[in-house]
Amino acid sequence: MTNITTVILAAGNSTRFKANKSKLLYPLCGLPIISHIYNVAKKISGKNIIVICNNKNINQLKLILKDCTFVIQKQQKGTANAIEQVKNKINTKNLLILFGDTPLVEIASIKKLIKNFIKSKVKASLIAFRTLNPFGYGRLIVRDNDLKEIIEEINLKSYQKKINLCNSGILISNTKILFDNLKNIKVNKIKKEKYLPDIFKIFYNNNISTNFIECSENEMLGINTIEDFNNVQSILQKKYIKKFIQNGVNFLNPETCYLSYDTKIEPTVILESNITIKDKTIIKKGSIIKSNSYLEGVVVNENCKIGPGARIRPNSIIGQNSKVGNFVEIKNSKIGKKVSISHLSYVGDTDVGNNVNIGAGTVTCNYDGNKKHKTIIKDDVFIGSNTSLIAPIIIQKKSKIAAGSVITKNIPKNSLAIERSELKILRNKRTK
Ligand code: UD1
Ligand code: CA
């Protein structure tokens, strides 16, 4: 939509979040809080986005938000003051305002707002929501269906505190009319800030037509505190998991699993309890992820058995029909098809071929204290239990390594390597 500029407010101090950086940078299901709403904004107005930030978060925001304009609000004098910073910077007829700290908003709701705004020919329109716990939100005062004003929590009279129709912060307005009236917003006496929602009282008093639509609370929640963050994150997790379940993924204990915004799981996959999945992980059909497993940046191909208690770290691919069992750690490794790494092993910076068995307690010794080195294990190799493979090293096809060996040289194909000192049995001569 080319006649809309989206402005995202992101200059707040995150005081209530009690963190040492802007709350908007915190990963929510793997994606910075602000990126969630930013992705919605992109779909509405393309590159026509202005992010209002502050001197402290601008550099980090520039790293994560591309194709938009940044404007700095030097002092955090409130949401109306933030909008004042973009006066004369907007050349579209209408202006959409989003808050960086409301990440659950769906594109459909913004489209609904825009449609209503255009159809009803009002000069400004807002998204409101109802909640049983309205504390902290601006409340809508409505008379004869007209939005009379929005009162912030600290200014509410005690009888108004139970009003549960809240301001989401999301609004669309005619650009010129907004800026013509913005200058009339007064500084709030208690907080010494200028509040953007005060514009609606000014509109009402000047007979400028406005209206609002209502959307679901689950989409409009804002993140001010860590408690809000946890609440929003659990709503988002439930949303992701519900979508997978509807698509044929079987979670045995969905409440205990954590997914990332970019997780992909194919139908027929089973996930047991307490599973964490992060960073662009893909799990293909027929696989089972057993309890207490932790996967980040992993592709698990078809029909694999992972866990219980497996840890697979970034840049790893597990081939079809392979098994990665309990207390196995895999990092930056490509594992072939029908490979079994069933117990207590560390496989790092390694390429493993097909039909390989890696016995319990095998360790690829990939780090010499200075550099990381690669291990290559070719097809049909058998590695006995408790083997140390000192990288860089290649174990050629169909070779066997005897249990307990420390392998320091490349092993040619079809051979058996044993590295053990001779067993001595010394009898105690004092006992018969
Ligand atoms: C705001 C609204 C409230 C609404 C709620 C919805 C105001 C005064 N209140 O309250 O009516 O119900 O959101 O979640 O607008 N920001 C700036 N510059 C500033 C202050 C804030 O850019 O000087 C940004 C923040 O980074 C944030 C957004 O504006 O992204 C909202 O500010 P916040 O302080 O969180 O407002 P709330 O108290 O949540
Ligand atoms: Ca907020």
Side-chain angles (χ1 to χ4, degrees):
M1 287 167 223
T2 49
N3 64 343
I4 294 177
T5 303
T6 303
V7 177
I8 303 179
L9 270 66
N13 283 326
S14 307
T15 319
R16 287 164 284 178
F17 207 72
K18 298 188 169 62
N20 56 4
K21 63 174 181 183
S22 167
K23 66 182 176 187
L24 301 175
L25 300 164
Y26 271 70
L28 173 71
C29 301
L31 189 69
I33 290 175
I34 191 164
S35 300
H36 290 260
I37 195 89
Y38 183 75
N39 289 343
V40 171
K42 260 199 315 204
K43 288 187 190 137
I44 297 290
S45 56
K47 294 181 180 178
N48 230 353
I49 301 176
I50 301 178
V51 177
I52 304 176
C53 55
N54 60 42
N55 279 317
K56 284 177 272 171
N57 65 15
I58 182 163
N59 289 334
Q60 284 148 306
L61 286 173
K62 275 187 173 171
L63 292 177
I64 54 174
L65 308 178
K66 303 290 172 194
D67 296 330
C68 61
T69 307
F70 290 90
V71 169
I72 293 179
Q73 181 193 22
K74 287 196 186 109
Q75 285 175 305
Q76 280 49 68
K77 292 183 184 165
T79 46
N81 176 264
I83 293 296
E84 279 171 5
Q85 312 307 309
V86 294
K87 195 179 175 199
N88 304 326
K89 290 192 165 65
I90 292 167
N91 44 28
T92 52
K93 186 179 170 208
N94 300 315
L95 165 70
L96 172 71
I97 298 176
L98 303 176
F99 285 180
D101 65 355
T102 52
L104 297 172
V105 178
E106 305 236 2
I107 181 95
S109 299
I110 306 288
K111 283 187 175 163
K112 192 174 149 195
L113 174 75
I114 296 171
K115 211 171 154 190
N116 166 72
F117 172 70
I118 293 168
K119 212 173 153 200
S120 61
K121 296 197 169 74
V122 291
K123 301 301 176 205
S125 187
L126 175 93
I127 299 185
F129 66 100
R130 287 185 195 275
T131 171
L132 291 175
N133 185 17
F135 181 83
Y137 292 105
R139 312 293 212 288
L140 271 65
I141 309 295
V142 179
R143 181 177 288 170
D144 301 329
N145 282 329
D146 279 339
L147 174 53
K148 209 176 151 226
E149 66 175 307
I150 298 173
I151 306 181
E152 293 303 309
E153 181 73 41
I154 48 163
N155 295 112
L156 287 168
K157 307 225 164 51
S158 56
Y159 69 90
Q160 293 170 321
K161 293 202 172 183
K162 57 179 184 299
I163 297 174
N164 67 356
L165 185 60
C166 299
N167 171 25
S168 71
I170 298 171
L171 69 92
I172 182 164
S173 175
N174 174 289
T175 309
K176 185 174 183 320
I177 293 174
L178 181 86
F179 284 109
D180 283 351
N181 289 277
L182 199 64
K183 54 180 179 289
N184 297 326
I185 292 180
K186 305 225 159 44
V187 175
N188 181 284
K189 287 191 187 105
I190 307 170
K191 281 281 199 149
K192 310 274 181 284
E193 286 183 5
K194 283 188 185 176
Y195 288 164
L196 181 61
D198 286 356
I199 196 90
F200 284 92
K201 188 175 182 180
I202 296 171
F203 285 157
Y204 184 82
N205 290 339
N206 290 292
N207 285 322
I208 296 169
S209 60
T210 67
N211 65 14
F212 63 93
I213 60 165
E214 281 186 46
C215 288
S216 133
E217 166 186 11
N218 271 1
E219 266 185 63
M220 297 303 153
L221 292 176
I223 299 180
N224 294 327
T225 61
I226 302 267
E227 203 182 345
D228 296 334
F229 176 84
N230 289 336
N231 187 19
V232 164
Q233 182 147 270
S234 83
I235 290 171
L236 209 48
Q237 285 295 329
K238 282 196 184 98
K239 204 167 103 180
Y240 294 158
I241 288 174
K242 190 175 173 192
K243 219 169 158 187
F244 282 123
I245 290 174
Q246 285 169 344
N247 199 31
V249 176
N250 192 352
F251 286 84
L252 301 193
N253 198 350
E255 290 78 25
T256 63
C257 294
Y258 172 94
L259 308 181
S260 175
Y261 77 102
D262 51 11
T263 300
K264 293 200 171 83
I265 312 176
E266 292 188 352
T268 73
V269 168
I270 298 172
L271 293 102
E272 295 184 349
S273 302
N274 293 318
I275 292 161
T276 300
I277 299 179
K278 293 179 164 179
D279 296 344
K280 283 202 177 84
T281 289
I282 302 173
I283 303 168
K284 299 207 176 163
K285 46 183 185 286
S287 290
I288 174 164
I289 314 295
K290 298 187 184 182
S291 300
N292 303 316
S293 295
Y294 196 108
L295 280 61
E296 7 173 20
V298 182
V299 177
V300 176
N301 279 295
E302 291 82 357
N303 304 314
C304 290
K305 290 190 174 73
I306 308 295
R311 178 174 184 211
I312 313 185
R313 293 168 53 200
N315 252 326
S316 297
I317 301 175
I318 313 297
Q320 289 166 12
N321 299 298
S322 289
K323 184 179 172 196
V324 177
N326 39 252
F327 308 109
V328 171
E329 177 179 344
I330 293 179
K331 185 214 80 172
N332 188 32
S333 294
K334 189 169 178 295
I335 311 295
K337 298 174 190 170
K338 287 195 184 163
V339 171
S340 180
I341 315 171
S342 292
H343 339 259
L344 298 155
S345 292
Y346 171 67
V347 176
D349 306 309
T350 300
D351 277 358
V352 179
N354 300 327
N355 295 310
V356 171
N357 186 88
I358 296 184
T362 295
V363 173
T364 56
C365 307
N366 58 337
Y367 187 49
D368 61 11
N370 189 21
K371 274 192 188 155
K372 297 278 167 64
H373 300 281
K374 207 166 161 96
T375 299
I376 298 174
I377 301 171
K378 297 282 181 83
D379 294 351
D380 306 309
V381 163
F382 179 94
I383 311 272
S385 296
N386 211 26
T387 294
S388 299
L389 299 165
I390 314 292
I393 198 159
I394 304 177
I395 316 293
Q396 296 290 359
K397 277 186 179 180
K398 296 189 177 173
S399 286
K400 287 186 167 60
I401 310 291
S405 300
V406 177
I407 304 297
T408 50
K409 290 182 194 148
N410 292 341
I411 306 298
K413 65 180 179 185
N414 282 314
S415 34
L416 171 67
I418 307 181
E419 189 282 328
R420 279 179 207 160
S421 46
E422 191 191 342
L423 173 69
K424 288 182 188 146
I425 300 175
L426 305 176
R427 300 197 59 199
N428 187 342
K429 287 174 186 152
R430 278 174 295 181
T431 55
K432 283 189 184 165

